[in-house]
Amino acid sequence: MKIKIYSLLTLVMLMWGLNVSALKVLVDAVDPILLTSVRIFTAGVAVLIACRIMGIFRLPLRNEWLVIFYISIFNVILHHTLVAVGLEKTSGVNAGLILGLMPLVTVMMAVMILRQHVTWIRVFGFLLGFIGVAVTTLTGGEGVAAISIGDFIVFLGVIVQGFSFILISKLKPTFDPRLATGYLLVLGSFFIFLTSLAFGSNLREITYLFDWKIGAVFLFSAILATSFGHMTYNYAIKKVGPAESAVFTNLNTLFAITGAAVFLGEVITINHMIGFLLILSGVFIGTGALEYALKKRGEANNF
C-alpha cells in the first residue's frame, strides 16, 4: 500500500515542480491574475466532477460554507495570485527554490501560532532553509541588488499558504478533504476573477489559451498539477501522515529547477545548487523528517 502512495507522491511532486515552468510560460502570455482565476476554476470543476464519480459529492452545510470561504482567502485567493504575479517578475529557478520553503514555513507557523514543541535540531533545519534562499537570491552577480520584487512576492505566497494550512488544521471541514478542495478552488477562483477585473485585465487574453501549445500547458497546469495534485496529496497525508508526505516535497524543488533549465532554458548556477542543497537539508531536518527516520530506525533495531 505504501509503495503505491509513495509512487503517487513522487508523480505529484514531478507535476508540481514542472508546474512552475508551466506557469512561467502562461503568465508571459496571459495576465497572471486573470490566468490564475481561469486555471483555478478549471481545476476546481475537475475536482468536483471527480468527487461525483467517486460518490463523495454533496453540497456543504451553511456553517461549512463559512469555513470554506475563510480558508480559501489564504489557501487559494492570496497564494495563487501572489505566486502568479511573482513568477512574472522572477525566474523559474528562483521561484522553485523559494516554493521549496513551504514545509519549513508551515512548521514554523505551527510553532508560533499553535505553540507546538520544536527541538533544537529542527530549529537548525529552519536556519539551513533560510540560508539556502539567501544564497540563491542574495549572492548573485549584483549582490543584494540582485533581489527581485518577484522573489519577495513569491515568498509572500509561501507565507499565506503556510498560514492556510494552520487554518485547515484548526478549522477542518466536516466532509471529505478532497471534496473541500474542489469547493475551495471554485469559490476562490471567482474572487480572483473579480480582482483581475478590478486591475483592468483584458478578458480577450483568455483567447490566447486556445492556441494548442499554450492550451496544452494550461490543461497540464489546471487538470494535472492543480486538480489531481492537490487531491492526491491530501489523500496521501491521510494515509501515511504529514511527516512522511513532507519528505517528498524535497523532490518538488528538484523538479522545479530542473524543469526551468530544460523547458525555459534558464541557467542553473553554483549558487542555485548550493541553495538547493541547503534548502533540501533544511526541509528534511526542519520538518522533523530526520527525527522521524531516526525514531523508526531505533524502533526497528529494538525488534
Side-chain angles (χ1 to χ4, degrees):
M1 182 63 178
K2 281 195 172 184
I3 295 178
K4 178 182 177 181
I5 299 298
Y6 293 161
S7 299
L8 286 173
L9 279 171
T10 302
L11 179 60
V12 169
M13 293 309 131
L14 172 62
M15 292 179 179
W16 282 0
L18 296 181
N19 192 43
V20 175
S21 297
L23 289 176
K24 182 66 176 174
V25 171
L26 292 172
V27 299
D28 286 341
V30 182
D31 175 78
I33 302 180
L34 177 63
L35 168 73
T36 300
S37 67
V38 178
R39 180 175 64 87
I40 297 302
F41 176 77
T42 304
V45 171
V47 171
L48 293 179
I49 292 175
C51 289
R52 182 74 176 182
I53 295 173
M54 291 186 294
I56 61 174
F57 178 84
R58 71 170 176 83
L59 293 175
L61 303 176
R62 181 178 300 178
N63 63 319
E64 291 172 340
W65 274 119
L66 181 61
V67 172
I68 290 172
F69 174 72
Y70 189 43
I71 295 175
S72 70
I73 293 175
F74 297 94
N75 186 268
V76 179
I77 300 172
L78 290 178
H79 170 68
H80 288 283
T81 299
L82 288 169
V83 171
V85 173
L87 272 169
E88 193 180 30
K89 304 177 185 298
T90 189
S91 68
V93 170
N94 275 23
L97 287 167
I98 295 171
L99 288 170
L101 280 175
M102 183 70 71
L104 286 179
V105 170
T106 303
V107 172
M108 291 183 69
M109 285 189 172
V111 172
M112 294 185 291
I113 299 174
L114 302 180
R115 301 298 182 183
Q116 292 185 357
H117 174 70
V118 62
T119 62
W120 282 109
I121 190 171
R122 295 178 74 176
V123 172
F124 177 67
F126 300 157
L127 294 176
L128 278 183
F130 281 113
I131 291 173
V133 172
V135 168
T136 302
T137 58
L138 302 184
T139 59
E142 302 174 8
V144 175
I147 303 176
S148 72
I149 186 65
D151 292 336
F152 178 70
I153 293 174
V154 172
F155 184 63
L156 285 180
V158 170
I159 292 177
V160 297
Q161 179 76 322
F163 183 63
S164 77
F165 291 152
I166 301 301
L167 292 178
I168 291 173
S169 71
K170 297 180 67 176
L171 305 171
K172 290 181 180 179
T174 56
F175 53 97
D176 194 292
R178 293 169 293 183
L179 178 60
T181 299
Y183 284 117
L184 284 171
L185 294 173
V186 171
L187 182 63
S189 69
F190 282 110
F191 287 92
I192 297 174
F193 179 72
L194 294 177
T195 301
S196 71
L197 294 180
F199 280 90
S201 298
N202 184 359
L203 297 182
R204 292 183 179 179
E205 291 186 5
I206 295 178
T207 60
Y208 297 158
L209 298 177
F210 294 115
D211 174 83
W212 76 270
K213 291 183 180 179
I214 298 298
V217 175
F218 173 79
L219 290 176
F220 164 78
S221 178
I223 304 298
L224 295 180
T226 305
S227 177
F228 173 78
H230 282 283
M231 287 185 66
T232 304
Y233 191 74
N234 290 339
Y235 173 78
I237 289 177
K238 188 174 182 179
K239 290 297 182 181
V240 301
E244 290 188 53
S245 300
V247 176
F248 285 83
T249 59
N250 301 333
L251 298 176
N252 187 357
T253 307
L254 174 62
F255 291 137
I257 63 175
T258 303
V262 174
F263 296 108
L264 302 179
E266 295 183 4
V267 177
I268 299 178
T269 66
I270 186 64
N271 289 334
H272 286 129
M273 294 305 300
I274 294 174
F276 168 69
L277 292 175
L278 288 171
I279 291 175
L280 184 73
S281 301
V283 169
F284 187 72
I285 297 173
T287 56
L290 175 60
E291 292 176 312
Y292 181 81
L294 292 175
K295 179 182 177 181
K296 284 292 184 181
R297 183 177 180 180
E299 292 175 353
N301 291 335
N302 290 330
F303 286 99

